[in-house]
Amino acid sequence: IILTNNGYNVVNIGIKQPVSAILEAAQEHKADVIGMSGLLVKSTVIMKENLEELNARGLGPRFPVILGGAALTRAYVEQDLHEIYEGEVRYARDAFEGLRLMDALIAVKRGLPGATLPPLKQRRVRPTGLVLEERPEEPPARSDVAADNPVPAPPFLGTRVVKGIPLKDYASWLDEQALFKGQWGLKQARGGPSYEELVESEGRPRLRGWLDRLHTDNLLEAAVVHGYFPCVSKDDDLIVLDEVGSERTRFTFPRQSRGRHLCLSDYFRPEDSGETDVVALQVVTMGSKIGEATAKLFEADAYRDYMELHGLSVQLAEALAEYWHARVRTELGIDGSDPASVDGMFRTEYQGCRYSLGYPACPELADRAKIAELLRPERIGVHLSEEFQLHPEQSTDAIVIHHPEATYFNAGGRS
Ligand code: B12
């Protein structure tokens, strides 16, 4: 949208495109620049492979590349990828930096006097893996997390499916800031109205419009499958048990190599305590109709509407997950310290924590298959792909931990 509004012709070929399709489109449309976006950690590898393929086809000098997205960092692009790519490659933190880069790349291409690309930004410190002087601490088998917290009684063991959850139940859990700033890009322009003014004049009215449309066109099919499972821990493992106490499946989580040496398994009773703990799992989805509606907007080149509706739909998936997590706290009887305001909820000022696989404390996306096996989300129309992505896209899974000390932490070792 930003590039198009500034006179560039953008050929948007959509998501999950193999490098051959990207190059075909670039050559067919005689592109000046190729842009790629990487959301998942795996995309960092794919970006590298794509650049290597451009090299192999001798296309490095022909196509400058701009890369962006949550999975990438400036140093990874401008240092590591720049080292291997035979053309120019730069990182765009946001769409506006993308525009500045495009302007610079085109100016250089046209040979405008004084035109240069912004200098490459290098890492100031060496990558941590290469610091040889520091000896890593030997992590203990368990951190100092309490093992005598009360274990709540679950309302049932096994799984339950809940379909047709009305929007009014979870709409108030929508994180407006994440929507307006993160998805819709509302931002004060120099000398223009403030962010708060933009929220009032643009954000909220458009949000109300979209919510009405979602309701009238009946585009949301919010559904949840969730369950409570008996479990114990052993070292870095969370062992999920069946009704007779035998092992059903096990998750292995990374342990922090420094600091408190936290590991998610520590939040559960150790196996040798002789006691059994409980873990809650959930998969939530907005259903598949919303994906069809956003795809139609995309095909019609209605990018602004696409961006707004897609952004809203993914934040609604997050809102539903947050709402359901609150339901789980109530069902477990640990909602006593829930904050009164929704902002307090977003700051996780409640007992327990909701961890999604792929996030730093539990980075292993492949473990999503274990959650799918336990919860069978196909009952709400959700399927796990070979790349461990849930379809429809507006879906998210989680391990809900009741321990009062449970909090987000980075177990390190991965970016
Ligand atoms: C919203 C969100 C979701 C939403 C929607 C995701 C989606 N498909 O859009 C929901 C709730 C559904 C979700 C689910 C999941 N998510 Co999520 N999610 C996010 C979050 C918070 C924001 C992503 C986003 O939409 N940003 C808004 C867009 C507009 O910004 P952007 O993509 O960064 O793009 C901007 C810039 O980067 C730049 N840019 C980007 N690309 C390009 C390209 C060019 C050429 C240019 C010029 C600029 C540019 O410009 C854009 C505009 O400014 C990120 C974390 C983060 N802070 O980024 C995690 C994140 C992407 N999610 C993550 C994970 C793990 C998941 C789940 C696997 C969790 C789970 N177990 O359920 C699932 C997977 C979903 C599935 N279907 O299987 C991880 C991925 C890491 C990994 N391990 O691979 C992240 C990075 C969080 C993290 N810190 O670990 N997620």
Side-chain angles (χ1 to χ4, degrees), residues 3 34-42 66-71 91-99 101 178 182-184 307 310 313-315 317-318 355-360 363 365 368 384 388-398 414:
L3 291 178
I34 294 176
M36 295 187 281
S37 181
L39 199 59
L40 299 178
V41 170
K42 216 179 143 204
I66 303 181
L67 300 177
Y91 172 78
R93 194 176 59 91
D94 54 29
F96 298 98
E97 189 171 0
L99 176 61
L101 283 168
Q183 302 289 344
W184 292 6
M307 184 194 78
H310 180 269
S313 70
V314 299
Q315 287 307 143
E318 192 58 31
Y355 300 88
S356 280
L357 292 168
Y359 273 73
L365 279 177
R368 303 185 89 185
L384 192 65
F388 305 111
Q389 288 299 295
L390 294 175
H391 297 279
E393 181 188 348
Q394 290 82 355
S395 312
T396 181
D397 55 27
R414 307 247 320 216

Side-chain angles (χ1 to χ4, degrees), residues 30-33 62 64 103-112 115 117:
K30 301 196 173 50
D32 292 306
V33 176
R62 164 74 184 83
D103 289 347
L105 284 163
I106 297 300
V108 169
K109 188 171 178 177
R110 291 197 177 139
L112 296 186
L117 295 183

Side-chain angles (χ1 to χ4, degrees), residues 146 172 175 233 236 247 255 276 308 320 336 351 396:
S172 61
D175 186 339
S233 68
D236 300 350
E247 177 171 338
R255 182 171 294 283
T276 305
E308 289 189 356
L320 180 61
Q351 177 177 334
T396 181

Side-chain angles (χ1 to χ4, degrees), residues 374-389:
L374 291 165
L375 292 182
R376 290 176 287 124
E378 44 303 345
R379 293 179 289 166
I380 52 166
V382 173
H383 299 269
L384 192 65
S385 75
E386 278 174 18
E387 293 152 323
F388 305 111
Q389 288 299 295

Side-chain angles (χ1 to χ4, degrees), residues 189-201:
R190 206 174 294 154
S194 67
Y195 169 72
E196 287 71 26
E197 285 163 349
L198 286 172
V199 165
E200 286 311 320
S201 64

Side-chain angles (χ1 to χ4, degrees), residues 260-369:
R260 282 184 72 190
H261 299 290
L262 293 171
C263 175
L264 286 191
S265 60
D266 298 347
Y267 296 130
F268 297 95
R269 284 289 197 279
E271 188 179 40
D272 57 20
S273 70
E275 291 174 82
T276 305
D277 215 312
V278 62
V279 62
L281 301 175
Q282 65 180 46
V283 172
V284 310
T285 186
M286 300 312 301
S288 57
K289 276 199 224 157
I290 186 71
E292 290 157 20
T294 55
K296 268 195 205 132
L297 291 172
F298 187 86
E299 276 155 30
D301 293 343
Y303 290 134
R304 195 194 169 89
D305 285 350
Y306 164 78
M307 184 194 78
E308 289 189 356
L309 187 59
H310 180 269
L312 173 59
S313 70
V314 299
Q315 287 307 143
L316 283 174
E318 192 58 31
L320 180 61
E322 205 48 60
Y323 163 69
W324 206 263
H325 179 195
R327 286 275 304 252
V328 167
R329 287 196 300 279
T330 308
E331 289 191 348
L332 289 175
I334 58 161
D335 56 347
S337 55
D338 274 16
S341 77
V342 73
D343 285 334
M345 296 287 187
F346 296 147
R347 289 192 298 269
T348 67
E349 292 164 1
Y350 42 67
Q351 177 177 334
C353 207
R354 172 172 63 94
Y355 300 88
S356 280
L357 292 168
Y359 273 73
C362 44
E364 198 43 75
L365 279 177
D367 281 349
R368 303 185 89 185

